[in-house]
Amino acid sequence: MPGRLSEAAVVQYRSDGFLFPVDCLTADEVQYFRGRLEAFERAQGDTFGKMPDLVRSKSHLLFTWMDELVRHPKVLDAVESLIGPNILIYHLTSWLKEPNEPSHVSWHQDGTYFGLQPFEQITAWIALTDATPEMGCVKIIPGSHVIGQRPHKDTSTPGNLLSRGQTIEARLDYTQYVMMPLRAGQISLHHTHIVHSSEPNCTAERRIGIGVSYIPPHCRLVNDVRVTATLVRGRDEYGHFDPEPRPAADFDAASRAAHAEAVERFFESNKLLAARRRSGNVGI
């Protein structure tokens, strides 16, 4: 399979908890996907990251082109190298930073409010623009995935792009980070427990990244909420999640209804997990 990671790359990911850069999209593909996103923005009169109804979450349920992007063969080949041939999308978030805005992401672990077990979720961060240090690319603490899931607190820092402003409480050496700059069309991969963050975009250009949470179907949710997921490769023989429908058209009534239900269920689970963590009964 041409897009599979090398054995050395897989070993590096297991050791460090992340891997970058991985070449995936061609220049024409980047132009296509970014063009579709920005055409929708122009039609709506707002930026993708600021639209109501959580458009930037689980956007693959709203747009045929986003559904196409998350199924890109080279992205899935890289993910398959790490979690196997059966792949679900658990969640998706579009990470847009406009020029010279305070948008940032606090130090956190992706798995904090996902509530998945075992801890095999991988985030593929797909760059639709360059993501340089000056543009607020992801920065990561190598090897921090081995500390397991650590307690987080909710914050309300202005400009924090995380839904709850979640910030890790552990005292870590945040000076030992690695920047993960990407060129448009490249992806990075990181483990659900890796500690990472990003700074504001201090340039005159937009930074657009699509963060896709991929899991193997044997992962399950640890609370009683029945959430949804999208099968993008292989088979799901476990049935831990309700299947998500593929959009037949962009932003039509059917896709908006499916998206609204899926997002509501996801954030209901998120809320319950946050409450459980505050009570000290994490359950995972």
Side-chain angles (χ1 to χ4, degrees):
M1 191 175 293
R4 286 187 61 85
L5 301 176
S6 68
E7 183 176 346
V10 172
V11 170
Q12 181 180 340
Y13 174 86
R14 305 286 186 214
S15 173
D16 295 342
F18 68 97
L19 183 71
F20 82 101
V22 180
D23 294 328
C24 285
L25 277 64
T26 67
D28 287 344
E29 288 173 328
V30 169
Q31 183 179 14
Y32 167 75
F33 290 117
R34 179 178 178 178
R36 293 293 296 271
L37 185 153
E38 293 183 329
F40 178 73
E41 289 179 320
R42 289 192 296 272
Q44 298 295 312
D46 203 351
T47 60
F48 203 75
K50 296 179 180 179
M51 290 180 193
D53 301 322
L54 294 169
V55 167
R56 77 184 188 100
S57 296
K58 286 186 173 284
S59 313
H60 59 296
L61 303 182
L62 289 170
F63 306 103
T64 56
W65 51 268
M66 189 73 86
D67 175 73
E68 183 182 352
L69 174 62
V70 299
R71 298 169 187 269
H72 192 285
K74 288 187 178 179
V75 175
L76 294 183
D77 287 350
V79 172
E80 180 176 336
S81 301
L82 300 172
I83 66 172
N86 302 313
I87 304 173
L88 293 168
I89 293 177
Y90 182 67
H91 196 53
L92 177 151
T93 305
S94 299
W95 301 103
L96 286 83
K97 292 183 180 178
E98 303 303 328
N100 295 306
E101 283 194 350
S103 298
H104 67 282
V105 176
S106 51
W107 288 108
H108 72 287
Q109 297 167 303
D110 286 348
T112 305
Y113 299 124
F114 279 3
L116 295 169
Q117 194 178 63
F119 308 113
E120 297 179 22
Q121 179 259 323
I122 289 177
T123 296
W125 204 97
I126 307 171
L128 294 185
T129 66
D130 289 348
T132 66
E134 296 77 16
M135 298 172 81
C137 70
V138 176
K139 58 183 184 180
I140 213 152
I141 299 182
S144 57
H145 62 305
V146 302
I147 68 176
Q149 183 62 58
R150 304 306 295 268
H152 284 58
K153 60 183 178 181
D154 294 355
T155 67
S156 56
T157 308
N160 196 331
L161 294 176
L162 295 174
S163 61
R164 310 185 67 87
Q166 51 263 40
T167 302
I168 195 168
E169 293 181 353
R171 292 188 176 183
L172 302 176
D173 185 357
Y174 291 117
T175 65
Q176 300 302 306
Y177 63 82
V178 170
M179 291 284 190
M180 293 205 300
L182 298 172
R183 296 193 309 270
Q186 293 181 326
I187 72 168
S188 62
L189 301 161
H190 65 261
H191 187 274
T192 192
H193 283 161
I194 202 78
V195 178
H196 61 291
S197 70
S198 67
E199 300 294 334
N201 178 4
C202 298
T203 75
E205 302 294 329
R206 306 185 79 188
R207 195 213 71 169
I208 304 174
I210 311 299
V212 191
S213 299
Y214 292 102
I215 60 172
H218 62 257
C219 286
R220 62 179 181 85
L221 191 62
V222 297
N223 63 34
D224 295 330
V225 179
R226 181 77 177 179
V227 301
T228 62
T230 293
L231 182 67
V232 290
R233 178 171 283 184
R235 296 183 296 174
D236 178 5
E237 298 179 341
Y238 294 84
H240 293 319
F241 308 94
D242 287 341
E244 295 171 335
R246 299 182 71 170
D250 291 342
F251 210 59
D252 64 350
S255 67
R256 287 192 304 241
H259 172 262
E261 180 184 359
V263 167
E264 180 180 9
R265 289 205 230 173
F266 174 83
F267 283 104
E268 180 185 357
S269 173
N270 181 295
K271 183 178 179 180
L272 287 175
L273 286 162
R276 183 180 294 178
R277 290 191 180 283
R278 286 194 298 270
S279 71
N281 181 24
V282 296
I284 57 175

